[in-house]
Amino acid sequence: MKKLFILIAITAALASCSKEQKTEPITISPEELHGSIDKVTEIMIHDIFSPPVASRIYAYPNIAAYEIVAQNNDEYQSLVGQVHGLTAIPKPDLSKPFNYEMAALVAHMELSKRLIFSEETMEIYRDSLYADWESKNPEMFKDSRDFGLKVADHIGEWMNKDNYPQTRTMPKFTVDADNAARWQPTPPAYMDGLEPHWDKIRTFVIDSAQQFKPAPPAEFSLEEGSDFYKELKEVYDVGNEITEKGDESEGIQIAKFWDCNPYVSVTRGHLMFATKKITPGGHWIGITKIASRKSKSDFDRTVYAYTKTSMAIADGFISCWAEKYRSNLIRPETLINQHWDDNWKPVLQTPPFPEYTSGHSVVSGAAAIALTSIFGDNFAFDDDTETAFGLPVRSYKSFNDASAEAAISRMYGGIHYRMAIEVGLTQGRKLGKFVVDNLKMETDRSVAANNKKNTL
């Protein structure tokens, strides 16, 4: 009889331990969010998304995660009423075990999966997290997951009304071959103009694609001494100067570090293939991760940083692409090959869309202003974003310092005139300031606390 009682006691104890193990609390770390975004970047490189489309892929999942965070953290305010067309997400049933951060990450992964092609790669990462969470607390996992999926559906409905689906069926860009000033496809692939209707995508924060319309480029003229001639001559001279110095020259190193062209075509004999790289928006999302880690940001603040920066980047692409196809300016490579030197090649491969303004300049300017508003000015960091592509780490004194180098890299690369770089950087910084001034994402208490932290 005593043995039976002992057996019952042991069985009850084991059952109790098992139950405790299945209801242990779950903490979602910023690294799990970084992992999700890194996985999205990896997939976008594999699937070869264009820079404008990639910016859209980053923005919506971040917003979904942020809106869930803002429901639970009084340091952050909802984007409803601040971002065009966004309506309030549902609220969870708090009578059940629930984890806001888990739900936020679920929503992020689910929307990301819907926006890319290689879904199975994202599912592998997601399922690894799901298995861990479910093993620790199955009830909390189920309720948090279900709410995250519900929010993903809500944001997904809003996302699908941004005019992106309609632009997929709009006509290709028509090249004006009779106008010497207008863009023409460039070697080696001579691709069609990329995303000519991107200005029709709904903006996030800025009023419209036309709000930050820059001054027009210099009047086209190949007459020696004209402003345009000087712009073209500078690209030609700078390219020749740095290539003479070789691959170790600072100009070439800067150009390659900020290349970020997912459409690089390589020709070997009769074979042509593409090398896959990160987009410029992806590079700045990588910098956001670096800053979040260095500042030891918690999960919620990391979501906030990604969300604010990705919206500035996305609006930057819409604004820039509106000007690209409005001015429709020819690339330096085309003119140099036609009129001066048919063997001249830029350090970087010219991307397939019109020249003015520089996308890197606009997007970098906008992202730097957004990041500065979060982490402070003079936030020094080591940028290892491009080490995966065999490039060394570069160091910067601030986000604006990095954006200035990203912009001038296009001159060193031989793919932009100085006017496209300088005007584009101003365009991006003005846009970024508008985003920062008009997005009230932090409460006053949060702003005061983080301003104090940024000055330490």
Side-chain angles (χ1 to χ4, degrees):
M1 193 67 169
K2 184 181 288 188
K3 289 182 179 179
L4 178 59
F5 282 132
I6 292 172
L7 180 60
I8 291 171
I10 292 172
T11 303
L14 289 173
S16 175
C17 289
S18 176
K19 186 176 180 180
E20 288 176 5
Q21 287 172 355
K22 289 185 177 181
T23 57
E24 64 180 275
I26 302 173
T27 301
I28 309 299
S29 76
E31 289 307 313
E32 289 169 314
L33 176 62
H34 294 319
S36 179
I37 291 175
D38 285 348
K39 189 60 63 176
V40 172
T41 299
E42 174 191 324
I43 293 167
M44 285 197 290
I45 294 169
H46 177 271
D47 291 347
I48 316 182
F49 283 101
S50 70
V53 175
S55 72
R56 179 177 182 266
I57 294 173
Y58 284 121
Y60 284 108
N62 286 330
I63 292 171
Y66 176 82
E67 284 298 289
I68 295 174
V69 163
Q71 280 193 344
N72 183 54
N73 190 332
D74 60 9
E75 292 189 4
Y76 301 104
Q77 301 183 53
S78 170
L79 295 170
V80 174
Q82 304 190 71
V83 173
H84 302 308
L86 178 63
T87 57
I89 63 172
K91 292 188 177 181
D93 180 0
L94 297 180
S95 66
K96 302 177 180 179
F98 186 76
N99 186 310
Y100 279 95
E101 293 169 348
M102 184 189 299
L105 189 49
V106 167
H108 187 280
M109 292 187 292
E110 176 62 23
L111 267 182
S112 297
K113 186 170 73 73
R114 297 180 190 181
L115 285 161
I116 45 87
F117 299 144
S118 302
E119 295 181 19
E120 65 282 356
T121 306
M122 195 71 202
E123 289 170 351
I124 292 170
Y125 180 77
R126 177 202 67 188
D127 291 347
S128 68
L129 295 181
Y130 279 8
D132 178 55
W133 298 337
E134 188 172 22
S135 70
K136 292 176 179 176
N137 195 323
E139 189 177 358
M140 178 181 287
F141 162 70
K142 180 182 181 303
D143 292 334
S144 304
R145 179 200 60 195
D146 290 351
F147 180 70
L149 295 176
K150 186 183 295 186
V151 172
D153 287 341
H154 182 92
I155 298 297
E157 288 181 14
W158 167 60
M159 174 183 75
N160 290 333
K161 297 175 183 176
D162 71 353
N163 214 33
Y164 176 80
Q166 288 77 6
T167 61
R168 299 308 89 191
T169 59
M170 291 179 181
K172 292 182 179 181
F173 180 67
T174 302
V175 176
D176 185 357
D178 295 329
N179 190 328
R182 299 294 171 249
W183 178 80
Q184 298 175 31
T186 49
Y190 297 94
M191 296 174 63
D192 292 330
L194 187 75
E195 297 295 345
H197 306 289
W198 202 252
D199 64 325
K200 300 175 180 65
I201 301 296
R202 179 186 61 207
T203 57
F204 288 94
V205 185
I206 63 174
D207 296 339
S208 73
Q210 318 306 323
Q211 183 179 1
F212 291 94
K213 178 182 178 181
E219 184 179 355
F220 180 80
S221 171
L222 293 179
E223 182 178 347
E224 188 171 353
S226 69
D227 289 342
F228 189 89
Y229 178 94
K230 292 175 183 177
E231 292 275 345
L232 180 62
K233 186 70 161 53
E234 182 180 23
V235 176
Y236 182 62
D237 290 344
V238 168
N240 288 337
E241 179 183 346
I242 64 175
T243 51
E244 285 177 5
K245 294 179 180 178
D247 289 345
E248 297 305 312
S249 74
E250 180 73 356
I252 289 180
Q253 289 182 24
I254 290 172
K256 290 184 174 180
F257 185 79
W258 291 100
D259 184 9
C260 305
N261 181 0
Y263 284 93
V264 176
S265 299
V266 179
T267 303
R268 291 181 182 170
H270 298 292
L271 179 67
M272 178 176 285
F273 59 93
T275 59
K276 301 176 180 181
K277 296 183 180 181
I278 200 170
T279 64
H283 191 131
W284 280 98
I285 290 295
I287 290 174
T288 306
K289 177 178 69 175
I290 292 167
S292 297
R293 281 176 170 166
K294 180 178 179 182
S295 62
K296 296 180 172 56
S297 295
D298 63 14
F299 182 91
D300 290 1
R301 189 157 183 80
T302 300
V303 170
Y304 159 64
Y306 277 127
T307 305
K308 192 174 191 178
T309 305
S310 63
M311 285 192 291
I313 290 169
D315 274 357
F317 272 112
I318 295 171
S319 175
C320 180
W321 250 245
E323 178 56 38
K324 280 186 178 294
Y325 285 96
R326 178 170 42 238
S327 54
N328 189 17
L329 186 62
I330 195 166
R331 289 278 184 171
E333 179 179 16
T334 305
L335 291 176
I336 291 169
N337 289 164
Q338 287 177 349
H339 300 282
W340 293 348
D341 184 349
D342 58 7
N343 291 317
W344 188 87
K345 290 183 179 181
V347 170
L348 303 179
Q349 192 171 114
T350 303
F353 36 81
E355 196 273 348
Y356 189 87
T357 49
S358 157
H360 267 61
S361 302
V362 175
V363 169
S364 296
I369 295 297
L371 286 165
T372 298
S373 75
I374 300 165
F375 299 104
D377 204 356
N378 302 317
F379 185 98
F381 63 97
D382 298 325
D383 187 356
D384 62 357
T385 308
E386 300 289 333
T387 55
F389 306 101
L391 297 170
V393 174
R394 292 189 68 83
S395 300
Y396 301 99
K397 297 176 182 178
S398 67
F399 301 114
N400 286 324
D401 178 33
S403 71
E405 184 179 278
I408 197 61
S409 75
R410 314 315 271 169
M411 167 71 73
Y412 298 141
I415 59 178
H416 274 298
Y417 310 109
R418 183 176 292 276
M419 58 184 174
I421 293 165
E422 294 181 349
V423 174
L425 190 58
T426 299
Q427 179 185 356
R429 286 175 173 171
K430 287 181 177 178
L431 184 151
K433 186 176 186 304
F434 182 88
V435 169
V436 168
D437 289 347
N438 287 272
L439 274 185
K440 305 303 179 186
M441 298 176 72
E442 290 183 276
T443 61
D444 291 341
R445 183 168 68 85
S446 176
V447 170
N450 286 295
N451 283 344
K452 181 178 180 180
K453 180 180 178 182
N454 290 335
T455 58
L456 293 177

